[in-house]
Amino acid sequence: MERVKLGGLKQSLELCQFDLKGPDSPEKIVPRVCKLLASQKINIAFLTLSQMNDEFHQLTMCPHQYDFTRTSGLLNTKGTLPRGWGIQSRKHVGILTVFPHRSPIRILGLVMVAWAAQSIPLHGIATSLSAISFITDYRSIDRGIEIIQNSFQLPDDHAPIKPELVYYQSDEVKKDKGN
Amino acid sequence: METIAVYWESRIKTYGFQRMPGLALIELSCPVGTIKSLGEILTHDDMQALRAPFIAAQESDRELSFIFCLPEREGKGFHASLEQTRIPTSHRYVYPVGIIFFHGPHFGDRYGIADAAFSAISKAGIQLIASGCASSSVYLILAQDDLDRAEEALTKAFEVAA
């Protein structure tokens, strides 16, 4: 059977995941948490917010793995979250982003089926105009890539899947290396 | 090799805001053990014509909760066909909602983007229904009537690159 075409596939650096869950006031919690992390120059590579099961709201965030301890410390500081809000975390996750040519719902379904069949965990999804991002355990990411490569047809001249460039944002230039 | 580039912006630059009104938001969940079955449903031929501008899923307590944003007519049909399968549990159908989304240079690599977006929305007193930020994109799902005010608030917080 002809394999479904994909425009591309990209892997993130190693990330961690925090799920903040609570009964109400996400309009207050989300800006507060994002401001707190921004004040410590912690980048959020992935974020989703939604209401779940009509009962509670969940904010899922993935900062870089090297920011796990700092982020955990900030979020667990008394007073950061109101009463009723709890935190769960995963120390080592990664994001695999696929770029569908067309039929994004079909491709989403095919990845869900292929990963579930091989017990690749799925901790979150977010789509955009041209991409579908899947969160999985970092230790499963190579296997997740392999399954997608075997299930879909990627362009022959596909760019490297693993990140080759790492970007750091700083508000100061290193004196020994810059002007 | 390390390359240092110096770049400064008084307001975070974006490539512009895009809006999608008239959408339905469908919220459903399924146990982690049934993801494969839900995936199979999504690969059915009758699902292929669906245009879903935004989909997100979150895991909690061994369940995956999904939201699908679809044009109203497609949303009704999608909701009805999923209810027939009895695999996911349907929780909410919200209509009308709107999406405002934007992209920017290296949004996924820089701190402060989510802060700027959510602070602007919060200060304007707008309630977020859902959101998803991945790669270089920020998606905000709001009540349709809030789209104008949201764009106004975001335009103050971000600079649209010429």
Side-chain angles (χ1 to χ4, degrees):
Chain A
M1 201 171 89
E2 194 179 339
R3 289 186 294 174
V4 175
K5 285 183 181 171
L6 270 188
L9 180 62
K10 199 176 89 180
Q11 173 193 333
S12 73
L13 296 168
E14 188 171 6
L15 307 171
C16 54
Q17 180 177 347
F18 291 89
D19 296 326
L20 280 56
K21 198 163 77 171
D24 49 27
S25 310
E27 65 280 1
K28 291 179 186 160
I29 310 304
V30 178
R32 187 195 298 173
V33 166
C34 291
K35 187 166 286 305
L36 185 64
L37 298 191
S39 72
Q40 298 303 309
K41 299 173 185 170
I42 295 172
N43 177 38
I44 305 167
F46 177 100
L47 180 152
T48 50
L49 166 73
S50 77
Q51 192 178 342
M52 299 178 81
N53 304 353
D54 269 337
E55 288 174 9
F56 54 86
H57 300 269
Q58 182 166 320
L59 172 66
T60 291
M61 301 183 299
C62 295
H64 286 284
Q65 209 290 323
Y66 53 72
D67 283 327
F68 177 81
T69 306
R70 284 200 306 146
T71 306
S72 181
L74 289 166
L75 296 176
N76 284 295
T77 300
K78 197 176 173 187
T80 299
L81 296 177
R83 182 175 289 189
W85 279 73
I87 304 172
Q88 288 186 323
S89 60
R90 289 189 180 85
K91 265 186 163 177
H92 306 278
V93 300
I95 293 174
L96 211 54
T97 301
V98 302
F99 300 90
H101 265 309
R102 54 175 72 93
S103 309
I105 289 191
R106 183 168 183 221
I107 288 169
L108 169 66
L110 288 170
V111 173
M112 286 165 63
V113 170
W115 277 17
Q118 300 293 321
S119 304
I120 305 290
L122 185 52
H123 302 309
I125 299 169
T127 69
S128 66
L129 205 56
S130 59
I132 311 172
S133 298
F134 300 89
I135 309 176
T136 188
D137 291 341
Y138 196 70
R139 65 178 175 204
S140 301
I141 210 158
D142 286 339
R143 181 78 185 113
I145 290 170
E146 193 185 322
I147 291 165
I148 289 175
Q149 284 175 319
N150 292 336
S151 308
F152 295 91
Q153 185 185 337
L154 287 161
D156 293 337
D157 57 349
H158 192 278
I161 292 166
K162 292 180 191 290
E164 291 189 318
L165 290 172
V166 180
Y167 295 91
Y168 299 97
Q169 183 183 0
S170 168
D171 54 6
E172 59 186 46
V173 177
K174 290 178 188 173
K175 284 185 180 146
D176 56 336
K177 290 186 178 172
N179 293 321
Chain B
M1 186 179 77
E2 184 178 55
T3 300
I4 295 175
V6 179
Y7 177 73
W8 183 86
E9 49 188 18
S10 56
R11 280 193 299 160
I12 299 167
K13 285 194 174 67
T14 166
Y15 301 128
F17 302 103
Q18 296 186 60
R19 300 155 47 134
M20 301 182 92
L23 302 173
L25 179 143
I26 295 131
E27 184 197 308
L28 48 92
S29 68
C30 67
V32 165
T34 63
I35 290 174
K36 188 163 178 269
S37 304
L38 179 60
E40 283 165 352
I41 293 166
L42 297 179
T43 62
H44 284 176
D45 287 344
D46 55 351
M47 296 281 177
Q48 300 326 304
L50 296 178
R51 296 159 295 151
F54 180 71
I55 304 168
Q58 296 179 312
E59 189 191 2
S60 178
D61 300 329
R62 301 294 299 157
E63 281 211 335
L64 262 185
S65 283
F66 286 82
I67 53 169
F68 290 83
C69 287
L70 297 142
E72 188 207 4
R73 188 176 291 178
E74 296 175 25
K76 271 186 184 165
F78 179 70
H79 193 229
S81 56
L82 281 181
E83 281 198 318
Q84 281 173 5
T85 68
R86 297 184 181 181
I87 288 170
T89 306
S90 184
H91 297 290
R92 276 202 301 174
Y93 179 91
V94 186
Y95 174 81
V97 302
I99 294 177
I100 185 160
F101 68 95
F102 55 104
H103 317 275
H106 290 288
F107 267 16
D109 300 315
R110 304 161 58 187
Y111 64 81
I113 310 294
D115 172 35
F118 293 121
S119 291
I121 294 296
S122 174
K123 277 180 197 158
I126 298 166
Q127 198 156 0
L128 266 178
I129 296 174
S131 178
C133 310
S135 297
S136 295
S137 303
V138 176
Y139 276 65
L140 306 171
I141 292 83
L142 317 156
Q144 181 173 275
D145 290 347
D146 286 334
L147 281 176
D148 286 341
R149 285 198 305 132
E151 183 166 357
E152 198 178 307
L154 291 167
T155 304
K156 286 179 190 162
F158 292 85
E159 185 178 331
V160 178

